């Protein structure tokens, strides 16, 4: 955003009716706008634009200016904060119209409608499964790193690694004894129910091929953390407020 590339992402899912479902939004300018127009016939083939993360909101106004005749669906926070767009509905309440081509779920044990504190609780987002491409589109909940920079490598992040968003250790999950297990089972159900091979994530990278195996491995490695969080929540111990996006206390948008 602005002078810094924060890895804002957007995907297009081709539906069985030949139209496209746009997931998230980036600023449509230059060659990218030309490619979008060519692919969608100037927007005529865009079925809808869907916002999937409460704090990924920076470019929806720009996208709406470029494609004003398209239906837009947002998270509850998008509907509350971006009044310039005539939203057609809330995305999870509207998801059935794109099934079975596309399925959508939100992580159990976490807050979707009004995540707080806004600076650090970026854990929950709509997770989208595009059946035809065997791809999961996800923003921050499950992160992937392609060619991580020096600072990330200093913290032990490796190329191709997947992790749960750091706020899982802080405000990402509800502070209840049940929340860690609820989220764990939600991930397990996703692995069982969806036949996917690829993972799109915001900011840092994607997994093309082998994504299900990587998430399954991650889930196993996180078992001790789930047990630790359950114990902390049972004892009502305060957790670290980790997962902050930048140092500006008022900068909540991250894509």
């Amino acid at each position: 955003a602005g002078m810094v590339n924060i890895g804002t992402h957007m995907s297009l899912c081709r539906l069985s009716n030949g139209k496209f479902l746009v997931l998230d939004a980036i600023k449509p300018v230059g060659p990218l706008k030309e490619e979008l127009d060519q692919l969608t016939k100037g927007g005529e083939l865009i079925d809808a634009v869907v916002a999937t993360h409460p704090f990924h909101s920076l470019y929806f106004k720009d996208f709406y200016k470029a494609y004003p005749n398209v239906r837009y669906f947002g998270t509850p926070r998008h509907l509350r904060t971006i009044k310039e767009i005539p939203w057609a509905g809330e995305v999870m309440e509207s998801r059935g119209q794109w099934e079975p081509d596309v399925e959508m779920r939100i992580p159990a044990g976490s807050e979707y409608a009004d995540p707080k504190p806004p600076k650090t609780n970026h854990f929950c987002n709509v997770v989208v499964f595009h059946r035809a491409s065997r791809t999961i589109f996800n923003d921050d909940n499950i992160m992937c790193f392609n060619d991580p920079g020096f600072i990330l490598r200093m913290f032990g992040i490796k190329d191709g690694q997947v992790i749960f968003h750091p706020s899982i250790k802080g405000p990402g999950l509800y502070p209840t004894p049940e929340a860690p297990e609820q989220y764990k089972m939600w991930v397990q159900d996703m692995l069982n129910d969806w036949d996917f091979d690829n993972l799109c994530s915001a900011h840092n990278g994607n997994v093309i091929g082998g994504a299900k195996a990587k998430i399954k491995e991650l889930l196993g490695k996180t078992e001790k953390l789930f047990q630790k969080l359950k114990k902390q929540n049972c004892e009502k111990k305060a957790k670290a407020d980790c997962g902050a996006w930048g140092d500006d206390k008022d900068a909540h948008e991250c894509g």
Side-chain angles (χ1 to χ4, degrees):
M3 296 291 291
V4 179
N5 181 0
I6 61 174
T8 300
H9 73 159
M10 179 184 77
S11 289
L12 274 69
C13 297
R14 189 188 296 271
L15 304 174
S16 57
N17 62 9
K19 292 190 174 183
F20 292 91
L21 183 65
V22 177
L23 306 176
D24 277 346
I26 59 176
K27 194 169 186 176
V29 294
L32 175 60
K33 176 68 163 57
E34 295 174 5
E35 186 176 354
L36 274 171
D37 285 343
Q38 183 177 11
L39 190 63
T40 67
K41 294 184 178 180
E44 290 182 13
L45 294 182
I46 296 178
D47 185 79
V49 179
V50 171
T52 56
H53 191 295
F55 296 101
H56 287 195
S57 60
L58 292 175
Y59 298 115
F60 278 90
K61 294 178 187 178
D62 294 298
F63 207 88
Y64 175 68
K65 289 178 182 178
Y67 303 100
N69 299 318
V70 174
R71 298 181 303 156
Y72 286 76
F73 296 84
T75 71
R77 185 172 184 269
H78 287 85
L79 272 59
R80 289 195 304 269
T81 60
I82 305 179
K83 301 299 185 180
E84 295 85 347
I85 296 176
W87 300 98
E90 195 278 317
V91 57
M92 290 304 292
E93 294 177 355
S94 310
R95 67 188 185 278
Q97 62 188 290
W98 300 296
E99 295 176 355
D101 294 342
V102 170
E103 294 184 26
M104 301 180 185
R105 297 180 181 181
I106 53 175
S110 62
E111 177 61 26
Y112 165 68
D114 190 19
K116 293 178 179 178
K119 180 182 178 182
T120 53
N121 192 356
H122 291 199
F123 186 78
C124 189
N125 56 248
V126 179
V127 179
V128 183
F129 173 50
H130 182 231
R131 192 175 304 278
S133 65
R134 300 180 64 208
T135 300
I136 283 181
F137 177 92
N138 143 90
D139 295 291
D140 295 352
N141 188 257
I142 302 175
M143 305 172 68
C144 171
F145 295 87
N146 298 145
D147 192 23
F150 175 75
I151 295 178
L152 288 173
R153 294 198 303 271
M154 287 280 289
F155 283 94
I157 299 296
K158 299 178 182 178
D159 185 34
Q161 184 175 353
V162 294
I163 66 171
F164 295 124
H165 192 270
S167 64
I168 191 174
K169 299 178 182 179
L173 294 176
Y174 292 128
T176 64
E178 300 81 15
E181 183 70 16
Q182 289 170 344
Y183 178 66
K184 171 187 169 182
M185 294 309 300
W186 179 86
V187 177
Q188 187 61 62
D189 287 343
M190 179 181 72
L191 292 169
N192 293 339
D193 297 345
W194 289 350
D195 179 24
F196 66 94
D197 198 36
N198 312 302
L199 171 70
C200 293
S201 68
H203 309 305
N204 302 293
N206 305 303
V207 181
I208 307 302
K212 176 174 279 195
K214 286 195 173 189
I215 296 176
K216 184 177 181 180
E217 181 182 11
L218 171 63
L219 189 63
K221 289 181 177 179
T222 313
E223 178 59 32
K224 289 184 179 179
L225 175 61
F226 289 135
Q227 295 304 318
K228 179 181 178 181
L229 293 174
K230 179 179 179 180
K231 182 179 179 181
Q232 288 178 344
N233 292 348
C234 285
E235 297 173 354
K236 297 183 179 181
K237 289 184 177 180
K239 293 182 289 186
D241 192 11
C242 51
W245 179 262
D247 298 323
D248 186 346
K249 66 178 181 179
D250 296 319
H252 307 318
E253 314 308 312
C254 67

